[in-house]
Amino acid sequence: MKTCRILLLATCLAGAARAELWQTTMGDRCEGSLSGVYGSMALIAGKTAAVQLPLAQLDDAGLGRVADYLAGNAATTRAWSGSPSAVAKSLRNRMQVLRDGKLVDFDPGERAEPQVYLAYFGALWCGPCRRFSPELVRTYQQLKQEAPDYFELVFVSSDRDAREQLGYVREVGMPWPVVKFSALGRVAPIERWAAKGIPNLVAVTREGELIFHSYRGEEYLGPQAVLKQFTELLRSTKGDSDEVKRARHRLAVLQHLRGAKEATLPARPYVVSLDFSRYRTLSIARLNATLSIDERGRVTDASFEPELPTAIDFQLNRDAGDWLFLPAVESGKAKAIKVILPLQLTDVETAAKR
């Protein structure tokens, strides 16, 4: 896609507060502060960039800090209109929305503040922008159906005057808020991510820290790349897919142990799934799986009753080897244990018993 050239604004992150050293089990390191947890990733805001680190690869110290962060932010559902975040404060009383062909003041009311802001930089005079905007509208409406409160898109005009801005907003039929033309230059947490070309789409946190950008340095990736990345991120935050749950298993185990305190708890299924199509030829519908589960919630051994044909037994053992549990806890500490898990070969029961 071609890009329209405009003036380059500042593109550096401010120094991260309370910077800490983050390290993965692969030996990778970065310094910064934890800005948020998105699906299977932790976003670390540094002095000049934000880095996404896979939760599954964080070392124990880093994972502990993530658990602390989530515990401290468990109840942070706040109204957008009164939020103290950097982006919310900069946008307050500076947004409009299209109504009956006119731009009127935008009032979020009691709506919760978005966790992620998308900022779209474009203009009526920019041909590539006008070709991209229908795709942006379609994707926006689709994602709003999936997660209406998780994000919001804000238009930042690169038009030459307010009349031209209105013309572009009308042409697109923008369903999202628009930064007032008179307020341009006063929304620093978003505008610092303006680039030397448009269309430019970025995703930032509530504090204005970068998640995705249409540029990688001088390389123009295009707004479609950000749309794709953000769509994947949004869908991963739902946490109901096995892939995301697996990525968060170590974190879930840590949270499970912290929540248990000094209690004694049984093992609990976390990801237990079967491809039932593989067992259609089996004449029995119910099995008992005897599983050895270690302190990390992983299955180390499995056996099944009644006795099964060799091929079926082999396949079930392969499936069981991928199952994950929250481990048993005794006096606040994880312990290895054996459990009996009843299996229905048209369903998997969700309660293990000793």
Side-chain angles (χ1 to χ4, degrees), residues 11-33:
T11 57
C12 292
L13 274 168
R18 295 186 301 137
E20 298 172 299
L21 180 64
W22 297 83
Q23 184 167 317
T24 72
T25 54
M26 312 294 289
D28 299 317
R29 295 184 178 188
C30 72
E31 189 171 325
S33 60

Side-chain angles (χ1 to χ4, degrees), residues 38-154:
Y38 303 94
S40 60
M41 309 295 292
L43 184 70
I44 311 300
K47 291 182 179 180
T48 58
V51 177
Q52 296 179 63
L53 295 180
L55 292 173
Q57 294 179 14
L58 280 180
D59 65 9
D60 290 341
L63 203 65
R65 294 200 294 271
V66 169
D68 292 340
Y69 174 91
L70 292 174
N73 289 273
T76 20
T77 302
R78 54 201 183 193
W80 190 3
S81 58
S83 169
S85 77
V87 173
K89 286 193 294 184
S90 72
L91 289 173
R92 194 163 296 139
N93 301 319
R94 291 173 178 160
M95 287 188 291
Q96 296 176 307
V97 67
L98 186 65
R99 292 284 183 271
D100 300 322
K102 299 179 181 180
L103 283 171
V104 299
D105 288 346
F106 174 74
D107 180 7
E110 294 304 309
R111 175 181 165 186
E113 182 183 13
Q115 293 187 47
V116 177
Y117 289 89
L118 293 175
Y120 171 51
F121 300 83
L124 182 66
W125 54 262
C126 170
C129 298
R130 298 171 75 177
R131 289 191 290 274
F132 167 66
S133 50
E135 178 185 353
L136 183 59
V137 171
R138 286 193 301 272
T139 305
Y140 174 86
Q141 292 172 334
Q142 178 184 348
L143 296 181
K144 274 294 180 181
Q145 290 180 349
E146 297 182 25
D149 298 325
Y150 181 71
F151 77 101
E152 189 52 88
L153 192 152
V154 177

Side-chain angles (χ1 to χ4, degrees), residues 4-280:
C4 299
R5 312 297 287 185
I6 60 173
L7 181 65
L8 177 65
L9 297 182
T11 57
C12 292
L13 274 168
R18 295 186 301 137
E20 298 172 299
L21 180 64
W22 297 83
Q23 184 167 317
T24 72
T25 54
M26 312 294 289
D28 299 317
R29 295 184 178 188
C30 72
E31 189 171 325
S33 60
L34 179 61
S35 177
V37 180
Y38 303 94
S40 60
M41 309 295 292
L43 184 70
I44 311 300
K47 291 182 179 180
T48 58
V51 177
Q52 296 179 63
L53 295 180
L55 292 173
Q57 294 179 14
L58 280 180
D59 65 9
D60 290 341
L63 203 65
R65 294 200 294 271
V66 169
D68 292 340
Y69 174 91
L70 292 174
N73 289 273
T76 20
T77 302
R78 54 201 183 193
W80 190 3
S81 58
S83 169
S85 77
V87 173
K89 286 193 294 184
S90 72
L91 289 173
R92 194 163 296 139
N93 301 319
R94 291 173 178 160
M95 287 188 291
Q96 296 176 307
V97 67
L98 186 65
R99 292 284 183 271
D100 300 322
K102 299 179 181 180
L103 283 171
V104 299
D105 288 346
F106 174 74
D107 180 7
E110 294 304 309
R111 175 181 165 186
E113 182 183 13
Q115 293 187 47
V116 177
Y117 289 89
L118 293 175
Y120 171 51
F121 300 83
L124 182 66
W125 54 262
C126 170
C129 298
R130 298 171 75 177
R131 289 191 290 274
F132 167 66
S133 50
E135 178 185 353
L136 183 59
V137 171
R138 286 193 301 272
T139 305
Y140 174 86
Q141 292 172 334
Q142 178 184 348
L143 296 181
K144 274 294 180 181
Q145 290 180 349
E146 297 182 25
D149 298 325
Y150 181 71
F151 77 101
E152 189 52 88
L153 192 152
V154 177
F155 174 57
V156 185
S157 174
S158 299
D159 291 292
R160 289 166 287 211
D161 54 42
R163 182 177 178 180
E164 197 172 71
Q165 178 201 46
L166 177 59
Y168 186 40
V169 172
R170 283 174 173 170
E171 176 181 283
V172 175
M174 292 185 183
W176 47 73
V178 174
V179 176
K180 292 180 180 179
F181 197 83
S182 61
L184 292 173
R186 292 187 285 158
V187 191
I190 285 179
E191 288 180 295
R192 63 177 171 171
W193 300 116
K196 60 186 178 182
I198 54 175
N200 174 26
L201 183 66
V202 302
V204 300
T205 69
R206 291 171 174 173
E207 297 304 322
E209 293 145 346
L210 185 67
I211 304 174
F212 303 119
H213 201 290
S214 296
Y215 279 81
R216 183 193 293 130
E218 293 294 313
E219 181 186 5
Y220 185 60
L221 305 176
Q224 291 90 345
V226 174
L227 267 187
K228 182 176 184 295
Q229 292 170 315
F230 176 71
T231 298
E232 293 171 352
L233 175 68
L234 181 146
R235 289 172 178 164
S236 76
T237 62
K238 296 180 180 180
D240 53 4
S241 71
D242 284 358
E243 181 182 2
V244 174
K245 292 186 72 175
R246 288 183 184 282
R248 295 178 70 117
H249 179 239
R250 285 178 56 232
L251 175 61
V253 169
L254 178 57
Q255 293 171 315
H256 174 65
L257 293 174
R258 288 185 175 185
K261 297 181 180 178
E262 297 302 315
T264 296
L265 300 173
R268 290 172 43 198
Y270 181 74
V271 175
V272 177
S273 59
L274 286 171
D275 181 352
F276 300 120
S277 65
R278 294 171 175 168
Y279 307 108
R280 288 174 181 165

Side-chain angles (χ1 to χ4, degrees), residues 294-310:
D294 66 14
E295 296 90 342
R296 299 179 301 160
R298 298 183 177 274
V299 176
T300 58
D301 187 62
S303 60
F304 302 91
E305 293 182 345
E307 188 174 350
L308 300 168
T310 301

